[in-house]
Amino acid sequence: MLPILKYIMLACFAYVAIRIIAPYLVLLMRFMFNEPFKWDKYVEKPRLVFYAIGLLNMQLGFNAILDHPGRFATFYLVAGCFLFLGGIFMTQVTWTKRFKKVFIPKIKEKLKSSRNFNISISEAQLGKLYDNMIRYDMVVMDKTSKDNFIKCFLKNWDEHDAKIHLRLKNPACKEFYELFKLTFPKNDLQLIDFIKNSDLLRREDGRRYNYNTVRNALTRNRVSKRNEELEAVFTPFS
């Protein structure tokens, strides 16, 4: 049975290889003869990733079936077939309309979620927070507009060049973060993203906050010197 299975798998390899190579040969021929062609990076790049993973799974499955130890023959046969068929599926699913219209947008959205503050808060609430902070002189208004303040919190970090300039020293900055988390508990805002990874927060002089310094702030005193003002900023949201 194994020799027949081997030939079937080799035929599958040939089918997959032809299916993968043929479209790119057409593109290559058009390129060589100066004919117009379209390379859609939005689709082709993810497609190449699926090809690589799919072909690797097919190779692993092929080896598992043909080079299995006699003692675990059944296990290696089942596992090999699963890997091989899974590899074929991954190489072929990229040609469906669903891959382009549904799967790729979902993957891109998942990847983008790690490049923002990942918070759930309305623009109206952020606008009110900005106004409260301006009232207590916590934001450098000349360097941080309300639109930029909202943009920094809600947009992906690489989609804009806005910054938030705060008139808060390290302990007050740490307390602002803690009060934000306490006031809006459904959010997943992390201190390392807020201070370090995003590169959006600035001191009054334009310099970056030091993450380790802010993280270790409030160790002696549990509140900052601006505690009462900060609490007044967040009280309207309670």
Side-chain angles (χ1 to χ4, degrees):
M1 179 179 176
L2 281 181
I4 297 176
L5 183 59
K6 177 181 178 181
Y7 288 123
I8 293 175
M9 295 174 76
L10 289 174
C12 290
F13 264 120
Y15 167 76
V16 169
I18 293 172
R19 185 70 184 273
I20 292 175
I21 295 172
Y24 296 107
L25 283 178
V26 174
L27 291 178
L28 177 62
M29 292 296 292
R30 288 182 174 275
F31 173 76
M32 296 302 294
F33 287 93
N34 298 318
E35 290 293 325
F37 67 93
K38 181 180 180 181
W39 171 266
D40 190 349
K41 293 188 292 185
Y42 176 81
V43 176
E44 297 303 335
K45 280 181 155 183
R47 186 173 278 164
L48 289 173
V49 172
F50 270 65
Y51 288 161
I53 298 174
L55 289 172
L56 176 61
N57 284 345
M58 290 178 68
Q59 184 63 51
L60 291 174
F62 184 80
N63 293 339
I65 292 174
L66 297 185
D67 300 331
H68 62 277
R71 186 178 177 184
F72 301 102
T74 302
F75 171 78
Y76 277 87
L77 180 64
V78 173
C81 288
F82 178 80
L83 283 172
F84 193 82
L85 293 175
I88 293 177
F89 173 79
M90 290 197 71
T91 61
Q92 301 305 300
V93 73
T94 62
W95 295 102
T96 64
K97 292 181 179 179
R98 185 176 178 83
F99 179 78
K100 181 177 180 179
K101 295 183 178 180
V102 178
F103 187 78
I104 292 181
K106 284 186 176 180
I107 292 294
K108 289 174 71 68
E109 189 62 31
K110 288 291 184 183
L111 294 175
K112 282 183 178 180
S113 65
S114 62
R115 298 299 301 166
N116 58 52
F117 286 137
N118 195 26
I119 63 175
S120 176
I121 187 172
S122 69
E123 291 188 14
Q125 288 175 313
L126 283 173
K128 186 176 182 180
L129 178 62
Y130 175 86
D131 291 336
N132 292 346
M133 295 180 73
I134 290 294
R135 184 178 299 113
Y136 289 96
D137 197 29
M138 295 181 180
V139 176
V140 184
M141 187 168 57
D142 294 340
K143 296 181 179 179
T144 306
S145 66
K146 182 184 290 188
D147 287 341
N148 283 346
F149 185 84
I150 295 173
K151 186 184 299 182
C152 286
F153 274 99
L154 297 184
K155 297 290 185 181
N156 290 321
W157 301 334
D158 53 1
E159 289 183 0
H160 60 84
D161 55 2
K163 305 292 182 185
I164 298 175
H165 294 261
L166 298 177
R167 286 197 173 99
L168 298 175
K169 295 187 180 301
N170 294 318
C173 183
K174 174 71 174 297
E175 190 170 13
F176 172 82
Y177 164 78
E178 291 179 346
L179 285 170
F180 188 98
K181 291 278 289 185
L182 183 64
T183 305
F184 306 104
K186 293 183 179 180
N187 288 310
D188 192 30
L189 178 63
Q190 302 298 315
L191 182 62
I192 191 170
D193 287 337
F194 188 53
I195 301 296
K196 185 177 180 180
N197 294 339
S198 67
D199 191 27
L200 297 182
L201 219 59
R202 289 288 187 271
R203 303 168 66 97
E204 184 177 359
D205 59 7
R207 299 174 62 184
R208 296 183 61 176
Y209 282 90
N210 182 282
Y211 169 68
N212 290 326
T213 305
V214 175
R215 182 186 61 179
N216 296 322
L218 304 180
T219 52
R220 293 183 180 178
N221 300 316
R222 302 187 65 179
V223 296
S224 71
K225 293 180 179 180
R226 306 197 67 177
N227 169 258
E228 292 183 3
E229 294 174 321
L230 283 166
E231 288 190 346
V233 165
F234 285 96
T235 296
F237 301 100
S238 300

